[in-house]
Amino acid sequence: GGRKISAEHESRDIVDMPRQPESDDQPDTPLERMLLSRQLCPPTEKNRVRILTDVRDVRQAFLDLIESGKEAIYITTFILDDKQTSDLIIDRLCEKARAGVQVRLLVDGFGSFTLPEEQLQKLRDAGGRAVRFKAMSQFSRLAYLNFRNHRKLAVCDGQRAILGGANIVEDEMTDGDDEDTWIDLSLWIEGPAVPQLQAVFCSDWNFETEEQLPPAKLEDAEAIEDEQTSRLTVMPIGPDGPDEILDDFWQFVIHHAEQRIWICTPYCVPPPAAMRALELACGRGVDVRIMVPQVSDLRPVDYARYDYFRDLVEMGGQVFRYGGGMVHAKLGIVDDMTALVGSANFDVRSFFLNYELSVVVHDQPTIERLSDWYADLMDKCDEGVTDQSTFRAAMATAVRLFASEL
């Protein structure tokens, strides 16, 4: 079926993000021209980016961000649980709310369907606000699977932000050495990109509630004057972003790739056009690699990806399977041209059916740091398509009938 976007979501305008004064300059690359033509803002300059890959670092980053809040703390997550780390984060948010800081928490109605209401009520009682994005009843839960808010973002005072794939759940944020912890990828960002990220949160919050949060001012986030800073384009994906922008991004960079296309995704059920583009890239000698967990938390998706991987390997691509646990990172690297980091998987749902949020990285030093992380994890993987059995082939065919719902 089609996207079947409801009038409610279709009525949303593209997020109005502030621009750097100097961003009126001509774009530097064909990719930047394409993104600008699709109504995204020009890249912001002089951002500081710290890459977070360890669950303990992500947990501490959230606590540090909350602790630094003086005026406003905004957090959105697809899943929030009621375990140790999330309890601690909620408690810290309550302390800030009682101290007069404006605290807003947005969780998805589907992703956090099982979350006890008491977890959100604690924040409300402390003076903050907590809302479920498109709340669902027991009867409607399976009827409204599309246009869920899959974004993961925390913003403090319009100056610091955490963006990536990690939900506020124990498997993705902990201070222990539990073997069940996941591997994820998040970015700590300071600089002019942060008010743009805050604008995305405010747009979601204002869409869901009667409160109208004012957008952040770009002058609130000063440019970073370090020797090594990052050039970033904020990309809202979904009904409040440019139409099918993730599909356009991937089609553009795949067809322009000359050396490499490295993708890390927990769920790989791509649209046919994107898959065909990867196969064509293999045919012209581009180094195409896809890294996934050996076993994900959604077993039907593991079956669905089988045919995609088999076709890709036949065309000369490489598949790497990480057997040490769940890899939940979402990363794409194309040549030294760009990297994409955020909440979007390389699958139909992220391309067309979810609200997602990513940043496009344009500077080579940050791309190189992300490439180093990818290469280190790839060295711990097994290569090739797994278990080429008749059962798996049959399951792959059956499950792909429901690919858009996975």
Side-chain angles (χ1 to χ4, degrees), residues 58 62 76-77 152-153 163-169 172-173 184-186 328 330 342:
V58 177
F62 266 80
T76 184
T77 183
K152 293 92 173 176
L153 174 68
L163 164 85
N167 295 288
I168 304 179
V169 297
E172 300 177 64
M173 296 182 194
D184 218 318
L185 180 65
S186 297
H328 194 246
K330 302 96 163 48

Side-chain angles (χ1 to χ4, degrees), residues 32-236:
E32 291 176 24
R33 289 197 293 273
M34 187 279 287
L35 296 175
L36 199 59
S37 74
R38 296 303 325 279
Q39 298 179 271
L40 290 178
C41 289
T44 56
E45 308 277 356
K46 297 184 177 180
N47 297 281
R48 179 185 292 125
V49 171
R50 181 157 57 97
I51 300 172
L52 306 171
T53 59
D54 187 278
V55 290
R56 289 162 292 195
D57 293 340
V58 177
R59 177 183 184 271
Q60 189 59 50
F62 266 80
L63 296 175
D64 290 345
L65 182 138
I66 294 169
E67 180 61 30
S68 70
K70 293 181 173 61
E71 297 178 2
I73 302 170
Y74 301 150
I75 297 177
T76 184
T77 183
F78 182 61
I79 307 174
L80 177 72
D81 65 19
D82 57 345
K83 297 182 181 179
Q84 182 180 2
T85 295
S86 54
D87 285 346
L88 178 59
I89 289 174
I90 291 293
D91 289 343
R92 295 289 177 85
L93 289 173
C94 289
E95 291 174 7
K96 285 294 181 177
R98 283 191 287 265
V101 177
Q102 186 185 58
V103 178
R104 300 292 181 266
L105 174 63
L106 185 66
V107 303
D108 185 71
F110 178 82
S112 298
F113 182 76
T114 60
L115 176 71
E117 190 65 17
E118 291 77 12
Q119 187 78 323
L120 302 179
Q121 191 60 43
K122 285 194 297 185
L123 182 56
R124 297 171 189 143
D125 293 341
R129 293 197 62 183
V131 173
R132 296 179 193 259
F133 185 90
K134 298 299 143 196
M136 310 176 78
S137 70
Q138 186 68 43
F139 298 104
S140 68
R141 188 183 184 200
L142 297 180
Y144 300 100
L145 292 175
N146 294 342
F147 305 107
R148 306 313 313 179
N149 197 323
H150 194 244
R151 293 166 174 166
K152 293 92 173 176
L153 174 68
V155 185
C156 175
D157 297 340
Q159 298 183 19
R160 295 166 293 281
I162 300 172
L163 164 85
N167 295 288
I168 304 179
V169 297
E170 200 69 17
D171 288 338
E172 300 177 64
M173 296 182 194
T174 183
D175 61 349
D177 293 316
D178 194 325
E179 61 182 13
D180 293 330
T181 56
W182 293 7
I183 293 175
D184 218 318
L185 180 65
S186 297
L187 303 180
W188 172 287
I189 301 173
E190 298 174 70
V194 176
Q196 295 184 344
L197 292 168
Q198 182 164 311
V200 177
F201 177 91
C202 292
S203 176
D204 280 342
W205 185 268
N206 297 346
F207 172 69
E208 181 60 32
T209 75
E210 76 288 351
E211 183 180 17
Q212 295 298 302
L213 294 177
K217 297 178 181 179
L218 200 135
E219 55 264 29
D220 292 342
E222 298 181 359
I224 306 300
E225 297 300 335
D226 289 352
E227 292 183 3
Q228 182 173 307
T229 57
S230 191
R231 198 162 187 262
L232 305 174
T233 297
V234 174
M235 181 191 288

